[in-house]
Amino acid sequence: NADIAMYVAKEVKAGAVVFEPTEHVTAPSRLNVLGDLRRALDTDGELLLHYQPKFTLDGRHIEGLEALLRWRHPERGMVPPAEFIPVAEGTGIILRLTERVLGLALTQMRRWLDTGHPVPVAVNLSTRCLMDDDLPELVATLLAQHGVPARLLRLEVTESAVMGDAARCLDVLQRLHDLGVHLSIDDFGTGYSSMAYLRQLPVDELKIDRSFVMGMTDTQQDAVLVRTAIDLGHNLGLTVVAEGVEGAEHVAALQDLGCDIAQGFHFARPMPSDEIGPLLDRVAILPVPAAGMPTAR
Ligand code: C2E
Ligand code: MG
Ligand code: MG
Ligand code: MG
């Protein structure tokens, strides 16, 4: 399975072996993954979220958290999202998975609100979800059910997702934005969006893909891309987040370029929800502007 091999190689190259290679020796077939995933959706506790904080570059404030799906498979152990999300995306099961992730995230957000931590949380959306006309209504219903203000929820969509069926995605995004939910462009730099197109999207945050950030201190091309993305984002009034910030040299370079927010192992790894509370007791949360308002900087 090429996808799995690539995922492992990437993690090893980054100097962080997150999942044991032995778990990948017998790559399960696509059918197995789907069957197991259906069962996991009906089982309590197999699917859970880890949360990775995003920091201001000086490390003094948390801007928000990104919810990252984890699958604790009864036989295979922790299965990385790269291994099952693409499979789920090929079928309608991704919609159920997304609904589950939203429910888990909102439940946790309500708990943090109740302990005095109004922390914004970002949930990743697949392309397929943006093609679903019912998504904005589902999000509105879930927000109301959990009693979480829309402005604390952020949805991340990839560039390529939005480029697919632009008119339809734009309508779904606009309705989500109208709810007061914040929107981000994820993995920026890996797709083909034009400036003119980006300008039409009701997003307020751009996340530079970690492949460019990780290469920016070694490779001139990556450095140029990161600088261009930061300038483009700022010219469009967007907050710019660098993903995959692993070293102090990256922090310094990003600070020089005026990047707003950083996410990466240098600051914090994705962690279980019970480790987030103590972190929020120590580090202040950056105030959230209203959706669609350019961030002051
Ligand atoms: P993403 O949305 O770009 O998420 C960031 C990924 O980068 C996460 O991988 C995170 O653990 C990893 N990361 C963060 N900081 C660093 C760093 O400093 N170095 C390195 N090497 N990696 C870092 P993860 O959790 O394995 O997720 C992979 C992808 O799976 C995500 O990429 C996202 O596209 C997808 N995904 C995760 N959860 C969900 C979900 O609930 N729904 C959907 N549709 N996709 C999800
Ligand atoms: Mg993301
Ligand atoms: Mg990303
Ligand atoms: Mg990514």
Side-chain angles (χ1 to χ4, degrees):
N1 185 320
D3 287 350
I4 297 171
M6 264 175 56
Y7 187 86
V8 173
K10 249 184 169 172
E11 297 294 323
V12 172
K13 193 178 145 215
V17 186
V18 179
F19 301 98
E20 289 297 317
T22 48
E23 286 177 22
H24 302 272
V25 170
T26 49
S29 74
R30 188 188 146 82
L31 260 175
N32 267 343
V33 171
L34 276 179
D36 284 3
L37 206 48
R38 285 205 181 86
R39 185 190 35 73
L41 275 164
D42 293 328
T43 315
D44 251 3
E46 258 188 63
L47 295 168
L48 61 146
L49 296 178
H50 280 187
Y51 296 88
Q52 187 179 30
K54 294 182 281 178
F55 286 84
T56 51
L57 274 148
D58 60 13
R60 289 174 59 186
H61 289 87
I62 287 179
E63 187 238 17
L65 309 170
E66 178 171 7
L68 295 159
L69 186 56
R70 298 291 178 259
W71 182 8
R72 211 187 290 280
H73 190 284
E75 286 116 42
R76 295 171 56 211
M78 277 291 198
V79 182
E83 205 173 301
F84 63 94
I85 286 174
V87 178
E89 276 171 347
T91 77
I93 209 170
I94 189 65
L95 301 174
R96 287 182 61 201
L97 209 53
T98 304
E99 187 170 350
R100 173 64 54 84
V101 170
L102 282 166
L104 289 169
L106 289 166
T107 304
Q108 187 56 60
M109 287 167 82
R110 187 60 247 174
R111 283 193 201 122
W112 283 323
L113 275 168
D114 291 339
T115 51
H117 298 307
V119 64
V121 174
V123 164
N124 291 282
L125 284 187
S126 295
T127 315
R128 184 114 174 191
C129 300
L130 287 184
M131 304 294 284
D132 179 8
D133 290 332
D134 299 329
L135 181 72
E137 205 179 300
L138 172 70
V139 170
T141 305
L142 290 172
L143 283 166
Q145 261 174 19
H146 290 86
V148 172
R151 66 185 177 83
L152 290 183
L153 181 65
R154 179 176 285 288
L155 297 172
E156 297 190 1
V157 300
T158 59
E159 248 185 309
S160 44
V162 184
M163 296 304 285
D165 184 343
R168 191 157 169 193
C169 288
L170 204 60
D171 176 61
V172 169
L173 288 177
Q174 190 59 52
R175 285 160 58 210
L176 287 167
H177 174 82
D178 291 345
L179 295 174
V181 168
H182 288 256
L183 300 169
S184 301
I185 297 285
D186 201 356
D187 302 345
F188 184 78
T190 59
Y192 305 92
S193 43
S194 70
M195 184 143 169
Y197 184 67
L198 269 183
R199 195 171 54 106
Q200 295 179 43
L201 299 177
V203 300
D204 62 5
E205 185 181 274
L206 182 156
K207 300 184 76 178
I208 306 172
D209 191 69
R210 73 167 190 247
S211 57
F212 306 109
V213 176
M214 288 168 74
M216 73 179 290
T217 49
D218 303 323
T219 313
Q220 183 60 21
Q221 262 179 334
D222 288 344
V224 169
L225 204 136
V226 170
R227 178 188 312 150
T228 308
I230 292 170
D231 291 346
L232 171 65
H234 285 171
N235 287 333
L236 293 172
L238 312 177
T239 299
V240 180
V241 180
E243 300 186 315
V245 179
E246 292 193 352
E249 72 277 19
H250 298 116
V251 179
L254 290 163
Q255 240 162 349
D256 275 349
L257 296 176
C259 187
D260 305 297
I261 305 292
Q263 177 178 354
F265 298 167
H266 176 78
F267 290 94
R269 288 182 176 261
M271 54 185 108
S273 56
D274 58 353
E275 290 175 29
I276 294 289
L279 184 69
L280 294 176
D281 288 334
R282 288 201 316 272
V283 188
I285 300 167
L286 202 68
V288 192
M293 296 292 290
T295 320
R297 55 182 139 252

